[in-house]
Amino acid sequence: MSAQLFVVATPIGHLDDMTLRSIEILKSVAVIAAEDTRQSAQLLKYYNIATPLTACHDHNESNKINILLERLKNGEDIALISDAGTPLISDPGFKLVRAAQEQGIRVIPIPGACAAIAALSTVGLPSDRFSFEGFLASRSSQRINQLQKLKHETRSMIFYEAPHRILESVRDMAEVFGQDRPVGFAREITKTFETIKKMTLADLVAFIEQDHHQQKGEIVVVVGGATEQQDPGQEQLDQLLLRLLQDLSVKAAAQLAADLTGIKKKVAYQRALELTGKD
Ligand code: SAM
């Protein structure tokens, strides 16, 4: 008699952003697995939900899985929630969902708020294709490395960032992506000081520097993708490869060309082989 695991989104600020279905589900399940039970208790109180809470966070998720799976197998429905927004999206829950799925337990989404989607749908940058990057590394060298790998990404890129790191992260973005790259800034979505803006990265650095309030609260940054023209044309790639091949092996030249231009190493390698007649 296997029960169901509901993955339930909760508000990202405004408590009224619960769906009718999410309230019903939270009332009906045997237990709610929550990232922080004290935080979620406030939401449950607001909606008069009396269902017991149990902690399931990054540090105990592995140990908790067996207990929760056992309860599911005994026929008890369980809801998984995080502190805010959609569980698993830069939040715990992945291990539990995977384990439940592997045991043949039905996992049911109860969709609702997600800061990434709320930001993307309002900042005014292309939303037809996008990549979700979550949090960048806290160390600047690692962060710059991560950003460099994204330099030629043509889709809009969504980042979550902590308020105390927003200025240095946006400075790094301007450095790597270019001062003129368009960027969306979505702060305190659905809350009193909600701020949604679109500008260039250079202007965003200045905006945050000049107004310290912008370094507070919760923030999503959406960076516009690189324009297709920034990718090198065939002629430019050939010129670069021919020059590199004068001093380097095919493999090393292809690697360097890929690093410098952002094209796939396999593509650069194939072209290098063709140019050297080794194809
Ligand atoms: N699971 C959540 C979701 O669905 O969006 C995200 C949780 S993650 C631990 C927290 C980060 O999400 C924050 O640091 C911030 O980048 C973003 N975030 C959450 N709520 C937000 C809000 N109201 N306004 C802007 N960003 C928010």
Side-chain angles (χ1 to χ4, degrees):
M1 189 179 68
S2 187
Q4 300 164 110
L5 172 65
F6 295 95
V7 178
V8 182
T10 58
I12 54 168
H14 200 304
L15 283 182
D16 289 348
D17 288 335
M18 284 285 281
T19 66
L20 296 176
R21 189 165 167 239
S22 67
I23 299 165
E24 282 315 308
I25 294 291
L26 292 185
K27 281 184 175 165
S28 72
V29 294
V31 65
I32 300 169
E35 188 184 0
D36 177 342
T37 53
R38 273 190 302 181
Q39 164 100 8
S40 296
Q42 293 170 28
L43 179 74
L44 300 199
K45 193 170 167 217
Y46 187 77
Y47 284 103
N48 287 320
I49 299 169
T51 312
L53 283 160
T54 185
C56 183
H57 43 69
D58 274 340
H59 306 295
N60 77 346
E61 193 178 355
S62 303
N63 300 333
K64 208 59 190 266
I65 286 173
N66 287 337
I67 300 170
L68 294 173
L69 286 182
E70 210 45 49
R71 292 187 72 161
L72 284 159
K73 283 186 202 154
N74 287 333
E76 290 184 302
D77 284 341
I78 295 180
L80 171 71
I81 61 174
S82 60
D83 286 356
T86 303
L88 281 81
I89 306 302
S90 291
D91 265 341
F94 168 64
K95 288 181 195 153
L96 175 62
V97 166
R98 184 179 53 184
Q101 195 190 51
E102 281 168 5
Q103 297 287 315
I105 291 159
R106 207 169 148 208
V107 182
I108 300 178
I110 307 294
C114 174
I117 299 302
L120 182 68
S121 62
T122 48
V123 294
L125 285 167
S127 54
D128 48 348
R129 292 163 63 244
F130 62 89
S131 77
F132 175 67
E133 301 297 333
F135 288 97
L136 287 164
S138 51
R139 280 194 28 223
S140 182
S141 56
Q142 269 178 290
R143 189 165 58 228
I144 288 184
N145 208 6
Q146 290 173 324
L147 291 172
Q148 258 156 359
K149 289 188 183 143
L150 293 169
K151 190 172 174 177
H152 299 279
E153 171 60 65
T154 54
R155 297 170 294 178
S156 295
M157 293 164 276
I158 306 175
F159 299 91
Y160 284 166
E161 194 46 284
H164 62 278
R165 265 200 297 273
I166 187 65
L167 186 54
E168 42 177 329
S169 279
V170 171
R171 279 184 183 142
D172 287 347
M173 286 175 183
E175 196 61 40
V176 175
F177 296 142
Q179 308 288 327
D180 294 333
R181 185 78 77 93
V183 60
F185 180 76
R187 189 176 74 86
E188 294 287 88
I189 301 166
T190 75
K191 302 189 214 176
T192 312
F193 297 106
E194 181 177 85
T195 309
I196 311 273
K197 291 201 174 282
K198 184 177 75 172
M199 54 189 102
T200 63
L201 275 167
D203 288 344
L204 181 57
V205 170
F207 176 65
I208 298 171
E209 278 173 350
Q210 283 155 23
D211 180 357
H212 284 236
H213 291 111
Q214 305 308 329
Q215 295 178 46
K216 289 182 182 155
E218 300 195 275
I219 301 162
V220 181
V221 175
V222 185
V223 179
T227 49
E228 302 281 355
Q229 293 93 304
Q230 283 176 322
D231 288 339
Q234 188 67 45
E235 205 178 314
Q236 277 168 293
L237 175 65
D238 286 357
Q239 278 173 7
L240 176 64
L241 279 171
L242 285 168
R243 175 62 194 88
L244 293 173
L245 285 164
Q246 286 174 14
D247 297 320
L248 299 170
S249 67
V250 168
K251 198 173 161 209
Q255 178 67 67
L256 195 52
D259 288 348
L260 291 170
T261 63
I263 65 161
K264 289 212 167 69
K265 190 182 154 199
K266 229 168 86 180
V267 175
Y269 186 73
Q270 184 55 37
R271 187 63 190 149
L273 283 179
E274 286 166 13
L275 290 170
T276 50
K278 291 180 183 164
D279 184 33

